[in-house]
Amino acid sequence: MVVRQYNEELKYLEKINPHCWKIKKGFQPNMNVEGVFYVNSTLEKLMLDELRNACRPGMTGGFLPGVKQIANVAALPGIVGRSVGLPDVHSGYGFAIGNMAAFDMSDPKSIVSPGGVGFDINCGVRLLRTNLHEKDVQPIKEQLAQSLFDHIPVGVGSKGIIPMNARDMEEALEMGMDWSLREGYVWAEDKEHCEEYGRMLNADPSKVSLRAKKRGLPQLGTLGAGNHYAEIQVVDEIYDKYAAGKMGLERIGQVCVMIHSGSRGFGHQVATDALVQMEKAMKRDKIETNDRQLACARINSVEGQDYLKAMAAAANFAWVNRSSMTFLTRQAFAKQFKMAPDDLDMHLIYDVSHNVAKIEEHIVDGKPKTLLVHRKV
Amino acid sequence: MFKLKLSALGHPNPESFNCEDEKEYRSVVLWLEDQKIRHYKIEEREGLRNINDETWTDAYNAYQKDLVSPASEGTLNEQLNWLLSYAVRLEYADNVEKYKNAKIEETKKTAPNVVSSNPLDNLDFSSPAFKAGVERVSALAGIGPHPDPKMRLAALAKILKTNPHPDPPKTEANMIQHPSDVLKLLFVQDLRDLQTKINEALVAVQTVTADPRTDTKLGKVGR
């Protein structure tokens, strides 16, 4: 890392508008593109304080400040457009959380980096609706919450209540939500309301270590720890009546359930395994990065492809996991209200992933390009 | 017929030319070759010059063949039309500089012509039909009464300009946009029907494959 005074560092940052900062080339060595991040005044202060603290002498260890991390990502081979920091930006492993970066698939030097996806592969959020009103839930909210806890175990080391054997696991990894559908854990229309229809087609369970599968097997249908949650929520404001109506959110006080969870220990192990492989690949292919945490491999290398296939399997695991919790939530509600989940209108509104790398078509400088987009938010 | 082209070429009497009259037709062809096209040497024009002779038609056909006229198989009018256009083309090519400037004058001339053909210009603003029409649209747009119907029409124009109204102006973009929107919506509907059928099939298969089990004994709450 380049060591400069805080005032010197600020010369590389430019506030383009009240909510957007540009990170100019030279802020970190070898930047291929510029960086950009979006913040409000509160977040702006946090970002700059983080940088100021890092400039003080003797500050080593821990994560680099987010601004530096965005700039280091901008120095990765094959990056196009800009290295983008979204409003939730804060430092993470290698890539900052909230850092998005796209790499040109047609450039043989382009890389894929597990740090750009994160350890909780395909962590995501899904929202279920109900036709219940807050006043229906209030009298039994203790029992309902307890019922949810009974169905969905939480915390580090928790184990799920859906029986799975090794063969089920292999199939689930390959099929994603299609497995949940076949086994009857989800409704057919759930798939339509899920990113990628709940299945990454390039998943290859044979690229996943036995250790990862062993860690993942008992954890299916569990929430995990940290910032993960399954919450019973109430609509308290509708901004766009038409759009909300299309999603089946009709009125203030309507009860919803939001689930935020990921691939548990399975994804963590996939990422850890890949980092080891990639350090070797970097030495072999002579890939230089500004930060050791930005371990990566060329997309077309064996390590890069293996990671993408294993990552896709982990993504499928996460979707099966959230689908299982959806099933359990529907069960819990059905028991409490003595009604079928159908009659409670417990449809999935949407499931969106925020820790993935996906191959997508985008227009770059007026030309259509195939990109590997890393999203870590 | 052919008045414009004939006068453009400077024919002595374009007004009275009757293309149905065989004699006049033949003399115009001869005039074109003599004065404008000049494809043949003077002595070779003998065949065309015999206007009253039966052999004229053969000479005319040969003439058209020599000019490579695309209309030589068409009706007499089509044949003459092509000859006239060809002559105009030659005339223009001879005096490009001169006619270039003339162009601007022509467009100016045609512009007022277009306006005069606008039916709205010929409206009788004092006619009872006009008054009744204004009365009707004013009632629709909620415009209050006024003795002068033109005043009410002006108010209506103002309202239509300032308020969003359901019928967008018929521009060329709209003419393409609307049908393509309709096609898109039909496509989406088709797709939706298909997906619904797929979902029904999946649910039918689920009755065979599905066995969603839970076993609470397996559950373990973590730290």
Side-chain angles (χ1 to χ4, degrees), chain A residues 325-344:
Chain A
M325 284 187 276
T326 302
F327 170 77
L328 296 168
T329 305
R330 284 171 177 157
Q331 294 292 101
F333 270 72
K335 272 184 203 162
Q336 286 303 315
F337 291 95
K338 299 189 174 55
M339 279 167 86
D342 270 317
D343 298 327
L344 290 167

Side-chain angles (χ1 to χ4, degrees), chain A residues 204-252:
Chain A
D204 185 350
S206 71
K207 303 296 180 193
V208 177
S209 69
L210 197 62
R211 184 141 183 237
K213 288 173 191 166
K214 275 194 175 150
R215 275 181 76 177
L217 185 60
Q219 292 179 337
L220 207 67
T222 64
L223 194 62
N227 61 353
H228 292 165
Y229 57 81
E231 281 180 353
I232 299 168
Q233 303 179 338
V234 173
V235 174
D236 68 358
E237 196 172 348
I238 291 174
Y239 295 93
D240 183 338
K241 206 165 172 246
Y242 177 79
K246 281 278 166 205
M247 296 176 202
L249 297 174
E250 308 279 1
R251 56 195 184 275
I252 310 281

Side-chain angles (χ1 to χ4, degrees), chain A residues 106-377:
Chain A
S106 63
D107 180 349
K109 292 219 161 89
S110 286
I111 54 94
V112 53
S113 173
V117 172
F119 281 92
D120 193 1
I121 295 168
N122 192 9
C123 185
V125 175
R126 66 166 52 187
L127 182 65
L128 308 175
R129 68 171 188 243
T130 72
N131 55 11
L132 298 166
H133 191 270
E134 191 181 354
K135 66 177 189 297
D136 301 323
V137 173
Q138 272 305 343
I140 57 157
K141 66 176 182 183
E142 297 287 332
Q143 293 94 313
L144 188 60
Q146 187 54 52
S147 179
L148 274 180
F149 272 117
D150 292 343
H151 283 79
I152 305 174
V154 298
V156 178
S158 53
K159 288 179 180 175
I161 65 167
I162 291 179
M164 288 266 274
N165 59 35
R167 210 184 117 221
D168 294 332
M169 180 75 173
E170 291 285 322
E171 287 175 352
L173 292 180
E174 192 186 322
M175 295 168 67
M177 252 170 94
D178 282 338
W179 181 84
S180 305
L181 184 65
R182 190 187 73 190
E183 299 298 318
Y185 291 107
V186 296
W187 300 346
E189 56 267 37
D190 286 355
K191 255 170 70 78
E192 286 178 56
H193 298 261
C194 185
E195 188 169 332
E196 300 287 310
Y197 298 95
R199 175 179 188 170
M200 286 232 188
L201 293 169
N202 61 334
D204 185 350
S206 71
K207 303 296 180 193
V208 177
S209 69
L210 197 62
R211 184 141 183 237
K213 288 173 191 166
K214 275 194 175 150
R215 275 181 76 177
L217 185 60
Q219 292 179 337
L220 207 67
T222 64
L223 194 62
N227 61 353
H228 292 165
Y229 57 81
E231 281 180 353
I232 299 168
Q233 303 179 338
V234 173
V235 174
D236 68 358
E237 196 172 348
I238 291 174
Y239 295 93
D240 183 338
K241 206 165 172 246
Y242 177 79
K246 281 278 166 205
M247 296 176 202
L249 297 174
E250 308 279 1
R251 56 195 184 275
I252 310 281
Q254 193 173 341
V255 173
C256 294
V257 181
M258 189 178 272
I259 299 170
H260 175 200
S261 182
S263 50
R264 309 286 288 105
F266 183 88
H268 195 282
Q269 191 61 45
V270 167
T272 311
D273 293 342
L275 287 173
V276 177
Q277 295 304 314
M278 288 197 176
E279 284 197 5
K280 286 182 205 155
M282 283 174 78
K283 247 180 228 145
R284 184 194 61 211
D285 295 337
K286 300 187 179 55
I287 303 171
E288 301 272 330
T289 59
N290 291 339
D291 180 359
R292 226 183 126 247
Q293 291 184 349
L294 287 173
C296 57
R298 290 188 180 146
I299 298 173
N300 295 323
S301 67
V302 176
E303 291 80 5
Q305 284 299 311
D306 284 357
Y307 171 68
L308 284 174
K309 287 169 187 165
M311 184 210 70
N316 287 344
F317 181 91
W319 277 314
V320 171
N321 191 31
R322 288 201 286 277
S323 296
S324 301
M325 284 187 276
T326 302
F327 170 77
L328 296 168
T329 305
R330 284 171 177 157
Q331 294 292 101
F333 270 72
K335 272 184 203 162
Q336 286 303 315
F337 291 95
K338 299 189 174 55
M339 279 167 86
D342 270 317
D343 298 327
L344 290 167
D345 193 36
M346 293 187 74
H347 282 280
L348 174 58
I349 290 178
Y350 203 68
D351 177 305
V352 64
S353 319
H354 52 233
N355 282 19
V356 275
K358 290 201 296 190
I359 296 166
E360 296 172 7
E361 300 285 332
H362 288 281
I363 306 285
V364 181
D365 300 327
K367 289 190 203 108
K369 287 216 155 183
T370 308
L371 305 176
L372 182 68
V373 185
H374 291 64
R375 287 192 182 86
K376 180 187 187 182
V377 296

Side-chain angles (χ1 to χ4, degrees), chain A residues 149 153-163 180-189 192 327-328, chain B residues 192 195-196 198-200 202-203 205-206 209-223:
Chain A
F149 272 117
V154 298
V156 178
S158 53
K159 288 179 180 175
I161 65 167
I162 291 179
S180 305
L181 184 65
R182 190 187 73 190
E183 299 298 318
Y185 291 107
V186 296
W187 300 346
E189 56 267 37
E192 286 178 56
F327 170 77
L328 296 168
Chain B
R192 180 65 260 172
Q195 184 67 57
T196 306
I198 291 171
N199 287 356
E200 281 164 6
L202 285 172
V203 172
V205 172
Q206 266 188 328
T209 62
D211 180 20
R213 284 168 296 137
T214 52
D215 183 355
T216 41
K217 285 202 284 294
L218 294 172
K220 184 185 161 203
V221 176
R223 284 177 278 127

